[in-house]
Amino acid sequence: MGDHTTPSLAAAVSNSGGLGGLGMWGFSGEEAERRVAGFRQQSGGGLNVNYPLWDHAGDLTDIGGPMRKLVQALYDSKNAGPIPEPKASVGVVNQEHLAMLEKMRPEVVSFHFGLPDAETMDAIRSLGIFVISSATTVAEARQLEAAGIDAIIAQGTEAGGHRGTFTKTDISMQPGLFALLPQVVDAVNVPVIAAGGIADGRTIAAAIMLGASAVQLGTAFLRCGEAQILDAHREALRNASDDSTVVSNVVSGLPARFVKNRLIEELTEPGVEPLPFPAQMAFMAPLEDTGDGAVAPLYSGQSAHLTREMAAADLVSTLAEETNRCFSQY
Ligand SMILES: Cc1cc2nc3c(=O)[nH]c(=O)nc-3n(C[C@H](O)[C@H](O)[C@H](O)COP(=O)(O)O)c2cc1C
């Protein structure tokens, strides 16, 4: 979960029997190493480090005029000054990060939006690191398996954050977890990790019954004290109901699920496209700095209402107890 994850959040999860994750998005190799070292100081457990992958969008100078106007109007309403000039970037595991992985040896590397090139995959796998990535359809799961992945995260549409799709599948045609998970389990021979809408023992037990070997939770951990999020974001998660969220591409340029707020409403206009991912996100930092939940991005899955405000270690042990109770009742 990018910079919402902290070494103390990941350590608390790993120390209580889960596998903590640290987002590497936007961090230099040196910063990444400091993050992993921070985790190692607090935990002797396993660690997953995560890399979202994307291509360079090319020259952005003259594109996105209508979107820039919409964003500027939002800035003006908050006295946030002129909008910044976004820069194109590329999401890869570069040499600096490969050196960091070689030195720090996290147990797991996960990817979002597909997989890196074969050379990078080989370099990571030659370190003995377990590699996983998200699939939003059976076809994507098959592609990941063919590329030699160790396990697949089946990401249902309920999930918070970005849709992990890498085949440009129409978002409205992507399945929810109940439909996706058993079909992925039937289609591949590697373990499947269920993600999307899982927030308590009942939803974990259901995923296991549908064939999951493990579960991945995002939104539920946003409410832990160790997560780095705005107070307004916590409040939005606390007040969310089943129909509070929407999938939109206006925050980053790629579809992701958020609590619907003024930000999403005012940047959604027919015919107005966001800048390519992740350039559109350059507009978000000053809006987040206002601390105002109306104009900051509020990433959330559809099960926010089932999540609880508690320390991460307590959450992991509560989830385990609840899951065991579910299985002992049936
Ligand atoms: C705030 C937020 C940020 C996320 N960022 C990432 C990310 O950087 N990389 C990634 O692989 N998945 C990311 N995800 C998606 C999660 O890996 C996972 O699929 C999702 O959280 C599961 O659904 P849930 O939110 O209903 O638990 C993010 C999710 C959230 C809520």
Side-chain angles (χ1 to χ4, degrees):
M1 298 194 293
D3 59 7
H4 292 311
T5 56
T6 59
S8 55
L9 175 62
V13 171
S14 290
N15 288 342
S16 42
L19 174 69
L22 274 181
M24 293 289 124
W25 186 343
F27 292 101
S28 68
E30 205 180 313
E31 290 163 341
E33 186 175 326
R34 269 204 299 277
R35 272 165 81 69
V36 178
F39 169 87
R40 295 276 188 233
Q41 274 165 12
Q42 300 171 67
S43 175
L47 174 67
N48 164 36
V49 303
N50 176 258
Y51 291 94
L53 305 167
W54 66 88
D55 294 332
H56 198 276
D59 185 9
L60 302 173
T61 324
D62 290 324
I63 63 168
M67 175 53 79
R68 290 176 202 242
K69 273 200 192 114
L70 290 182
V71 182
Q72 186 63 64
L74 209 50
Y75 272 47
D76 292 346
S77 75
K78 302 299 295 178
N79 292 320
I83 60 170
E85 190 51 48
K87 291 190 189 72
S89 60
V90 61
V92 290
V93 185
N94 61 21
Q95 287 304 323
E96 256 195 344
H97 275 268
L98 278 177
M100 183 282 288
L101 294 174
E102 189 171 356
K103 183 169 172 196
M104 304 305 283
R105 304 282 172 132
E107 287 67 20
V108 179
V109 167
S110 64
F111 294 104
H112 217 44
F113 314 133
L115 289 174
D117 57 53
E119 202 183 318
T120 308
M121 272 288 276
D122 289 347
I124 295 171
R125 300 202 59 190
S126 71
L127 299 172
I129 293 174
F130 194 85
V131 180
I132 62 179
S133 184
S134 295
T136 63
T137 60
V138 167
E140 288 182 350
R142 286 203 171 107
Q143 248 181 268
L144 294 177
E145 186 181 38
I149 200 93
D150 293 307
I152 291 168
I153 304 157
Q155 191 199 38
T157 47
E158 303 90 332
H162 283 93
R163 306 293 310 133
T165 184
F166 55 94
T167 56
K168 299 198 166 56
T169 307
D170 186 329
I171 300 304
S172 67
M173 295 174 78
Q174 291 175 8
L177 188 64
F178 239 74
L180 176 68
L181 179 56
Q183 296 186 69
V184 171
V185 169
D186 286 349
V188 299
N189 291 309
V190 292
V192 179
I193 301 161
I198 298 174
D200 60 13
R202 293 170 299 179
T203 42
I204 294 173
I208 293 170
M209 291 307 291
L210 292 174
S213 297
V215 294
Q216 184 187 64
L217 283 70
T219 304
F221 285 99
L222 287 179
R223 297 193 63 196
C224 297
E226 296 93 334
Q228 187 176 291
I229 68 168
L230 289 178
D231 289 345
H233 194 164
R234 278 183 205 284
E235 196 185 330
L237 294 171
R238 192 181 309 128
N239 297 329
S241 52
D242 59 325
D243 60 354
S244 296
T245 68
V246 64
V247 173
S248 170
N249 63 0
V250 300
V251 168
S252 70
L254 280 179
R257 187 175 288 284
F258 304 90
V259 171
K260 194 173 187 186
N261 61 357
R262 193 181 138 206
L263 169 74
I264 309 268
E265 279 163 10
E266 294 196 6
L267 298 189
T268 306
E269 214 172 80
V272 179
E273 288 299 320
L275 272 70
F277 180 87
Q280 176 79 9
M281 262 176 132
F283 299 138
M284 298 302 141
L287 294 171
E288 278 188 288
D289 289 346
T290 67
D292 181 353
V295 297
L298 305 172
Y299 291 93
S300 172
Q302 290 180 321
S303 292
H305 183 74
L306 295 177
T307 64
R308 294 152 286 193
E309 221 149 87
M310 50 170 78
D314 294 339
L315 177 58
V316 176
S317 51
T318 303
L319 292 170
E321 279 163 29
E322 289 174 348
T323 307
N324 285 335
R325 213 175 318 131
C326 277
F327 282 120
S328 62
Q329 277 169 3
Y330 291 102

